Amino acid sequence: MKDFLVIGAGSAGCVLAAELVRRGAGSVLLLEAGPSDRHPLIQTPMGLIWVMGSKRDWCFTTTPQKAAGNREIKVPRGRMVGGSGSINSMVWFRGRRDDFDNWNVQGWSYEEVAPAFEAVEAALKPSRLATPHPLTTGLASIFPETTPTPETESSGVFAYNLVGGRRNSAARAMNIGKLVELRTDAHVDRIILKGDKAVGAVLVDGSEIRVSKGVVLSAGSVASPGILMRSGVGPKSDLEKLGIDCREDAPEVGENLHDHPGVGLHFEGAGSGYGLEAAQWFNWALAPLKYALSRTGPFASPTVEGGMFFNARGEDQVPDVQSHFIPFHLAHTGPRFQKKSGYFADVCVCRPKSRGRFSLASKDPKAAPLIDLGLLKDPDDLETLAAGLERLRSLLHSADFGTRRAPEVYPGAAVKGDALKEHIRANCGTAYHPVGTLRLGGPVSERLSARGVENLWVVDASIMPSVTSANTNAPSMMIGWKGAEFIAEDAA
């Protein structure tokens, strides 16, 4: 019998499991619902465009978003070792210092989480993208003499958890396969409770796993609350409607769900970004060989190569939006792959005010859950996106793109004001950073223990009271490291 069961081999779970072992806290069994990450497309940066939407993605969708055209919006989540860190663009930002200070939770100020970031970065060694497209390099001219950071208006090539031109997820960086027992294709239904104590888990196939010291949920902002609810911990009225015996009435479980809302501008023009125009066919034919020999070329691109942080409504203010820049042609209508060249840039609200809710549609663990992001529910998010798009146009116009500059084709520079807001409602998505469903100070204590259940902890992005001001992969790994610190002490 192992000491700890960690459910979810994603970014937080892999760091947590490795750190528990390193600290001598006990033996660990790490469960992953999906397969391994041993596939060439996963390790190849550009491979993510094929992995998303595959069997290694849960392929969730939201409920109809009332303030966003009543649309069902994609919520990609990694379903393999490495979790969403195996299908993302590998962008590395800690977030703003006051993101953590504003959580106002003991043990989670920036000064208190900084050592965890430093420890994780020592293992992952994130660095600036080595071979960006010339268009991406041109972003540096927008806010000269800056390095991209959410702390101040800035632009340029981003940092990534890439090593030697290959994805360096938490699973790989932490040598998970050598440190802990890892079991793939182990989809968890619910936690086994003995009285008020977590002692193991029941898998979807009916098999049971029991441990001696405790269970850790690291399945993410969607799966973790779902497992908890199926275990009888959640809003009593919701659980009883589904025929689930309520062991602990926890009305906040599933609340506070939110993500970075985002919408972008499409540009098309011969000789601009990467694309399938005839002039680039020869280079595309050589691309696989070039990547294999030198880890360069388009296959070495994580697609999101850089971007900027700026204030949507004025210069020299604290940034409230982030832009991701993709130097590839992205079709806005028609077939996905077209014989064109182009590039794309979006605007995402750094600190959205809108909140949604996660709930179960059924107690069947194979049934799709109800994911309501509450997208654009707060009107200020829409106002910020509209102002951000207007300023993004101006900033991109000032960029040193030279002869590679292309015109905006969607929605088109003439779309402004109320028409632009309608465009946002009809096209807004997210940055794929869902957080908050088991927030610190609510269903989870400041030391990550689940309220009402002994020997059960939650260690993933679901514990964030509010999303950080940039990409969430680095903070998720920090949470994994902090979780191991707390659990090693509390379960000793």
Side-chain angles (χ1 to χ4, degrees):
M1 180 184 289
K2 297 291 185 182
D3 294 313
F4 294 100
L5 178 65
V6 177
I7 300 171
S11 296
C14 286
V15 173
L16 165 78
E19 189 64 11
L20 281 175
V21 172
R22 190 190 71 79
R23 289 172 177 268
S27 58
V28 176
L29 173 59
L30 178 60
L31 301 183
E32 170 52 45
S36 78
D37 60 349
R38 294 175 185 171
H39 192 289
L41 285 179
I42 296 166
Q43 309 313 323
T44 302
M46 202 185 79
L48 66 89
I49 68 173
W50 292 288
V51 177
M52 276 193 178
S54 73
K55 68 178 182 179
R56 285 181 160 85
D57 178 357
W58 285 101
C59 297
F60 293 127
T61 57
T62 67
T63 58
Q65 298 296 282
K66 294 179 181 179
N70 216 38
R71 292 174 296 124
E72 296 180 3
I73 294 166
K74 291 181 179 179
V75 184
R77 295 286 86 198
R79 185 182 172 274
M80 72 184 108
V81 172
S84 296
S86 287
I87 64 172
N88 68 355
S89 294
M90 297 157 278
V91 176
W92 191 268
F93 284 110
R94 293 184 181 186
R96 268 173 45 185
R97 289 173 174 262
D98 61 355
D99 286 336
F100 307 98
D101 294 339
N102 291 342
W103 286 357
N104 196 29
V105 178
Q106 184 178 354
W108 294 89
S109 70
Y110 182 76
E111 292 303 320
E112 290 168 309
V113 303
F117 275 119
E118 291 165 5
V120 170
E121 288 165 356
L124 270 88
K125 300 177 177 60
S127 60
R128 181 183 184 274
L129 185 65
T131 56
H133 189 278
L135 279 168
T136 312
T137 304
L139 295 173
S141 62
I142 297 174
F143 296 108
E145 300 180 10
T146 65
T147 299
T149 169
E151 300 285 356
T152 185
E153 293 200 317
S154 52
S155 63
V157 179
F158 286 168
Y160 299 82
N161 52 315
L162 283 163
V163 173
R166 302 181 75 211
R167 179 185 297 273
N168 194 35
S169 70
R172 296 179 66 85
M174 297 296 171
N175 292 315
I176 281 300
K178 296 179 180 179
L179 282 177
V180 304
E181 182 181 342
L182 170 65
R183 190 179 302 180
T184 57
D185 300 306
H187 188 181
V188 171
D189 177 4
R190 63 189 185 278
I191 297 161
I192 300 172
L193 299 178
K194 186 176 182 180
D196 293 330
K197 196 173 287 188
V199 297
V202 178
L203 304 188
V204 169
D205 64 11
S207 60
E208 295 186 3
I209 299 169
R210 293 179 183 262
V211 289
S212 61
K213 287 190 175 182
V215 178
V216 188
L217 276 172
S218 292
S221 294
V222 173
S224 284
I227 294 170
L228 202 56
M229 288 174 179
R230 289 195 298 273
S231 307
V233 181
K236 184 176 181 178
S237 59
D238 287 1
L239 300 186
E240 289 181 343
K241 288 176 183 176
L242 298 175
I244 298 172
D245 181 28
C246 183
R247 304 288 294 269
E248 177 70 23
D249 185 11
E252 285 194 67
V253 169
E255 298 291 335
N256 191 46
L257 175 61
H258 60 290
D259 198 337
H260 291 128
V263 66
L265 305 175
H266 297 253
F267 299 81
E268 287 181 4
S272 54
Y274 290 122
L276 297 180
E277 61 181 354
Q280 296 188 44
W281 289 357
F282 180 71
N283 288 336
W284 279 112
L286 294 179
L289 180 62
K290 187 174 184 179
Y291 178 74
L293 295 176
S294 65
R295 296 289 187 258
T296 60
F299 279 28
S301 172
T303 65
V304 174
E305 291 194 353
M308 62 192 104
F309 294 89
F310 60 92
N311 187 278
R313 297 172 177 86
E315 298 180 7
D316 302 322
Q317 302 294 317
V318 175
D320 57 4
V321 296
Q322 177 183 8
S323 177
H324 301 86
F325 184 82
I326 300 176
F328 286 77
H329 177 264
L330 298 186
H332 60 86
T333 187
R336 181 183 184 188
F337 298 107
Q338 302 180 9
K339 297 176 183 178
K340 298 177 180 179
S341 174
Y343 50 94
F344 172 90
D346 72 3
V347 167
C348 295
V349 180
C350 289
R351 294 179 174 176
K353 296 180 180 179
S354 300
R355 294 293 185 271
R357 184 175 188 263
F358 170 91
S359 56
L360 295 177
S362 165
K363 65 179 180 180
D364 180 356
K366 295 181 180 179
L370 302 175
I371 303 171
D372 179 8
L373 291 172
L375 210 62
L376 306 183
K377 188 175 180 180
D378 190 302
D380 193 62
D381 291 345
L382 177 61
E383 295 294 333
T384 300
L385 283 174
L389 280 179
E390 293 277 21
R391 190 163 183 225
L392 177 62
R393 285 168 167 160
S394 175
L395 293 172
L396 290 175
H397 184 73
S398 71
D400 183 12
F401 286 165
T403 58
R404 294 180 181 273
R405 182 177 303 282
E408 178 188 332
V409 295
Y410 190 73
V415 178
K416 299 179 179 180
D418 289 343
L420 185 60
K421 291 178 183 177
E422 286 304 313
H423 169 80
I424 293 170
R425 290 190 186 95
N427 293 275
C428 179
T430 75
Y432 308 148
H433 302 152
V435 305
T437 47
L438 297 168
R439 70 173 182 86
L440 289 168
V444 174
S445 77
E446 67 273 7
R447 293 184 69 82
L448 301 180
S449 59
R451 298 195 190 279
V453 183
E454 295 180 38
N455 298 346
L456 176 64
W457 296 269
V458 181
V459 183
D460 56 34
S462 70
I463 64 98
M464 292 188 191
S466 56
V467 70
T468 51
S469 294
N471 308 72
T472 53
N473 195 218
S476 295
M477 294 192 206
M478 175 276 289
I479 290 167
W481 197 95
K482 289 283 287 184
E485 178 183 40
F486 291 146
I487 294 169
E489 293 172 355
D490 296 347

